Amino acid sequence: MPKIAYLECSRCQNQVSADAPQTLCPRCAGSLYVRYDMDELKRTARPEDIAAKAAASPASLGMWRYSAVLPDVAPVTLGEGWTPMLHSKRYPGLYIKEEGANPTGTFKARGLGLAVTMAKHYGLKHLAVPSAGNAAGALAAYAAAAGIAAHIFMPQDVPFANYVEGVIYGADVTLVDGLISDCARIVGEKIKAQKVAGAPPSETWFDISTLKEPYRVEGKKTMGYELVEQFGWAYPDAVFYPTGGGVGLIGMWKAFEEMEALGWVSGKRPKMYALQAAGCAPIERAYAAHKPTSDFFQNAQTFAAGLRVPKPYGDYIILDILEKSGGKALATDDEKILSSILDWAKNEGLFLSPEGAAATAAYDQLLVSGELKPTDTVVLFNTGAGLKYTDMTAEAMHLRRPGSLPTSLSVGGIITPV
Ligand SMILES: Cc1ncc(COP(=O)(O)O)c(C=O)c1O
Ligand SMILES: [Zn+2]
């Protein structure tokens, strides 16, 4: 495992030490990337060792099979990563990267797994996150595994599973009458107030928001390593990624850059497609208007809860990647997203998350327009398990529960009020 050489600003290339926990670039507030000594890595890390090491050691569980390119610290792991790459039954070039197989049922496990690992390494005691829902659930799980307190803030209308998992894992859960942007403001204000009140560092919350600390991207970059390894250390033609904050897209691009520097992959990088819901499509709007950053998307509304991010912090990075890769951003309305969920469930046996179905719906659209051929190799991310959204999906389908459940739980024959 390599030592981190330094953290580098994605905007002004300022270098910051990784000896202490960091948030944003102190010079320009850009997001920070983890950097290693690539010459040293090139000498020591070889792709052919990865599978062999993973088979030989339980310490290489899941995404930690890529420990050769991850920070040299003791992992807090629940088995995240190394998810299935499923071949579509209908489209010869299409592969679904099934991230619903992760702990807590979404790809958020990768980013939060690594961010909590680093928080434990730094000795942080309190982590706070504004979330569209799934990041909160993942933080709650990994914080519980690490013995760290989690303070989660999410919209009051998140999928019920996100509320339940937060409570079950013992997090401090606040439901907010607003969106993730309101949650982010509240977290920021609380941390500021703690600092003004002179709270000791051990009691002050650390903000683990998307792209406001360097390690969630670092965890999500493993999706890029994985898809290339699962393709035999080669690139597909395109990657379809349901985009809210864009962390996975940014992380995968970083992985491609690193793998090329290490000589692990070559050839043309995949076109990166950012897929959004029409009810909250700041990146799609900025892309269509050829703007380098996005505008705040007013009245964001979609049942693809993870895509309700009205102003992604890393918009400038996402838009730059779309342009450099020759990909694009597309938005799909909720009706088409729901149809795509039903289509994939009935025809392929996959219960996609609404976010994943925003990507499959866009894929259909590009096949119809002729921009894509069914034989083009595409890796499409189903970022979460559809089962986390039974309430939202059932509501969208006007599906009613046939009977009613008891309002109390029976434990050992005793009825316990809940
Ligand atoms: C299931 C799911 N898909 C996609 C996203 C968007 O993720 P990102 O912030 O990496 O763009 C989220 C975010 O909450 C999510 O929960
Ligand atoms: Zn900077």
Side-chain angles (χ1 to χ4, degrees):
M1 280 166 137
K3 278 216 164 345
I4 298 172
Y6 53 88
L7 305 173
E8 184 183 42
C9 176
S10 56
R11 196 182 271 136
C12 76
Q13 282 72 52
N14 182 25
Q15 294 184 9
V16 181
S17 163
D19 290 345
Q22 302 286 355
T23 51
L24 293 164
C25 169
R27 228 162 47 190
C28 78
S31 300
L32 296 172
Y33 285 138
V34 179
R35 299 294 187 208
Y36 308 97
D37 178 343
M38 296 307 274
D39 292 333
E40 168 71 14
L41 267 188
K42 206 168 175 176
R43 278 194 299 275
T44 55
R46 296 184 322 156
E48 53 273 29
D49 293 340
I50 287 174
K53 272 195 188 158
S57 161
S60 298
L61 187 68
M63 73 175 186
W64 289 96
R65 72 194 278 112
Y66 302 108
S67 58
V69 288
L70 292 172
D72 184 13
V73 291
V76 176
T77 180
L78 295 169
E80 59 291 340
W82 200 238
T83 54
M85 177 75 83
L86 303 172
H87 194 186
S88 163
K89 297 177 177 35
R90 296 173 290 175
Y91 310 103
L94 180 57
Y95 294 81
I96 305 292
K97 185 75 173 142
E98 181 49 285
E99 291 292 301
N102 277 300
T104 72
T106 77
F107 71 144
K108 296 283 175 184
R110 298 175 186 264
L112 271 314
L114 196 74
V116 171
T117 291
M118 293 308 295
K120 186 165 184 196
H121 168 74
Y122 289 126
L124 296 172
K125 301 279 182 253
H126 290 268
L127 301 175
V129 80
S131 169
N134 287 320
L139 173 62
Y142 285 89
I148 295 175
H151 306 273
I152 62 185
F153 293 76
M154 51 193 175
Q156 61 187 0
D157 56 353
V158 284
F160 190 48
N162 294 139
Y163 176 64
V164 174
E165 64 187 340
V167 173
I168 290 271
Y169 289 123
D172 161 28
V173 180
T174 305
L175 296 178
V176 173
D177 182 8
L179 293 174
I180 187 173
S181 41
D182 301 293
C183 300
R185 180 178 39 77
I186 295 169
V187 168
E189 286 166 2
K190 284 202 181 277
I191 293 175
K192 201 169 162 193
Q194 288 167 351
K195 288 184 178 159
V196 170
S202 62
E203 291 304 311
T204 309
W205 297 358
F206 183 83
D207 186 351
I208 206 157
S209 291
T210 295
L211 292 166
K212 292 189 183 165
E213 61 73 56
Y215 299 109
R216 285 176 65 179
V217 168
E218 199 58 11
K220 283 212 188 155
K221 87 174 182 187
T222 58
M223 296 192 294
Y225 278 89
E226 251 174 65
L227 80 84
V228 167
E229 184 178 357
Q230 287 173 326
F231 262 74
W233 300 104
Y235 285 135
D237 295 323
V239 171
F240 274 48
Y241 182 77
T243 302
V247 186
L249 195 102
I250 295 169
M252 283 190 269
W253 199 248
K254 180 177 191 282
F256 299 158
E257 218 170 76
E258 289 178 358
M259 279 185 277
E260 287 170 18
L262 294 171
W264 291 11
V265 69
S266 57
K268 192 179 165 332
R269 282 194 206 173
K271 290 182 183 174
M272 304 299 279
Y273 286 81
L275 296 326
Q276 301 207 292
C280 183
I283 294 295
E284 186 266 341
R285 276 198 185 162
Y287 171 82
H290 307 287
K291 287 183 167 176
T293 57
S294 65
D295 295 323
F296 189 94
F297 196 97
Q298 300 295 339
N299 305 318
Q301 224 174 5
T302 169
F303 86 121
L307 305 184
R308 278 195 314 175
V309 182
K311 168 79 177 142
Y313 196 79
D315 54 3
Y316 63 102
I317 314 176
I318 303 169
L319 288 158
D320 185 48
I321 293 171
L322 298 188
E323 195 198 308
K324 283 194 177 128
S325 73
K328 59 163 58 173
L330 287 170
T332 307
D333 64 39
D334 278 11
E335 209 174 314
K336 290 205 181 73
I337 292 175
L338 179 60
S339 306
S340 203
I341 290 177
L342 300 178
D343 173 41
W344 276 80
K346 287 179 179 156
N347 293 308
E348 304 237 10
L350 291 179
F351 188 175
L352 303 177
S353 59
E355 294 84 352
T360 49
Y363 177 82
D364 289 347
Q365 194 184 319
L366 292 173
L367 283 187
V368 170
S369 72
E371 194 171 318
L372 268 184
K373 294 189 291 295
T375 47
D376 291 335
T377 51
V378 174
V379 172
L380 185 151
F381 279 80
N382 179 38
T383 41
L387 278 172
K388 280 195 96 172
Y389 300 78
T390 49
D391 52 338
M392 319 282 267
T393 310
E395 196 177 307
M397 290 173 69
H398 307 293
L399 193 65
R400 290 246 165 271
R401 189 200 296 276
S404 61
L405 285 183
T407 52
S408 54
L409 290 176
S410 172
V411 180
I414 302 166
I415 300 295
T416 315
V418 289

